[in-house]
Amino acid sequence: MATCARILVVEDEMIVSADIEMQLSDLGYSEVAVAASGKVALSKVLEFRPNLVLMDINLDGSMDGIETATVLKDRFKTPVIYLTAYADQATLDRAKTTQPYGYIVKPFSQGELQASIEMALYRLETEREQGKSQERNAVQSALKALKQRRHDLDDALNVLNRLESATGLPRAKKRGRPKGSKNRPVVI
């Protein structure tokens, strides 16, 4: 089962990182990058553009995994699954604020890893499709409103012209477009 998803593994223990890489390879994920700190992870995101990040919470450096995930979410909109040995309530509460796509407690099986990745990638695709649909709906609503306004203006001009005809006043004349305008001629 080969997949084209790009996965960034953020893990500071080399043996654990290598094991995760091997499991991902066994699952068919061939595009995998690794970072050992939050700072390195942020630079890898810029060059690698991962679809998903597998994030340890306890990392080398000044940023822990939760702080790194916050930046990934806010700046890059990159989804995160936590892979961590920490399951205490305080850590869970901090992690929840980043709205992770999953939380796996170490040690974990390859099946747990696969299920979490597949669910996260499915959720990501669904959210992107919903976002595109919402954008299309917003554009269609805006176009409909503009067409209605144009129709309303045309009706108002017709009424004005009829009133002018009924009163004997000179009819409104169309004049050309204002210089540089791409709008329809203005009726005065």
Side-chain angles (χ1 to χ4, degrees):
M1 168 186 86
T3 179
C4 62
R6 292 177 310 280
I7 299 177
L8 174 62
V9 177
V10 185
E11 171 62 65
D12 60 340
E13 294 182 36
M14 274 199 312
I15 294 171
V16 175
S17 177
D19 179 56
I20 294 170
E21 263 189 290
M22 190 170 50
Q23 288 187 53
L24 291 172
S25 177
D26 290 347
L27 292 171
Y29 297 100
S30 58
E31 293 189 62
V32 178
V34 177
S37 70
K39 185 177 178 181
V40 172
L42 295 176
S43 66
K44 289 265 186 179
V45 165
L46 288 172
E47 74 180 60
F48 185 60
R49 306 258 181 213
N51 302 97
L52 184 65
V53 176
L54 302 178
M55 178 78 67
D56 186 19
I57 290 179
N58 188 22
L59 298 173
D60 287 340
S62 60
M63 294 176 73
D64 71 5
I66 295 172
E67 292 166 326
T68 305
T70 299
V71 174
L72 290 174
K73 177 182 167 280
D74 294 344
R75 193 182 310 168
F76 303 107
K77 309 289 186 252
T78 305
V80 170
I81 294 176
Y82 290 109
L83 299 177
T84 183
Y86 296 94
D88 59 278
Q89 194 59 50
T91 302
L92 286 170
D93 289 342
R94 278 188 65 220
K96 281 187 226 176
T97 64
T98 66
Q99 299 172 333
Y101 279 51
Y103 195 101
I104 303 174
V105 178
K106 296 176 185 173
F108 52 86
S109 70
Q110 187 170 341
E112 291 170 311
L113 182 62
Q114 179 181 12
S116 293
I117 290 172
E118 286 185 24
M119 294 303 287
L121 292 173
Y122 178 78
R123 176 179 160 193
L124 177 64
E125 183 62 30
T126 301
E127 287 174 353
R128 287 190 176 153
E129 288 300 318
Q130 287 173 344
K132 288 178 187 177
S133 178
Q134 288 173 346
E135 287 175 15
R136 278 192 300 273
N137 290 342
V139 168
Q140 288 172 345
S141 292
L143 286 172
K144 184 177 179 180
L146 288 172
K147 286 178 184 178
Q148 182 60 46
R149 286 185 181 149
R150 178 180 168 188
H151 179 73
D152 292 346
L153 285 173
D154 287 344
D155 287 348
L157 288 173
N158 287 334
V159 168
L160 181 62
N161 283 332
R162 279 190 251 127
L163 285 172
E164 287 174 343
S165 293
T167 61
L169 296 172
R171 290 191 52 129
K173 297 178 185 173
K174 289 186 178 181
R175 69 174 180 184
R177 297 180 186 148
K179 192 169 190 165
S181 172
K182 295 182 180 178
N183 297 331
R184 293 183 14 192
V186 176
V187 176
I188 57 169

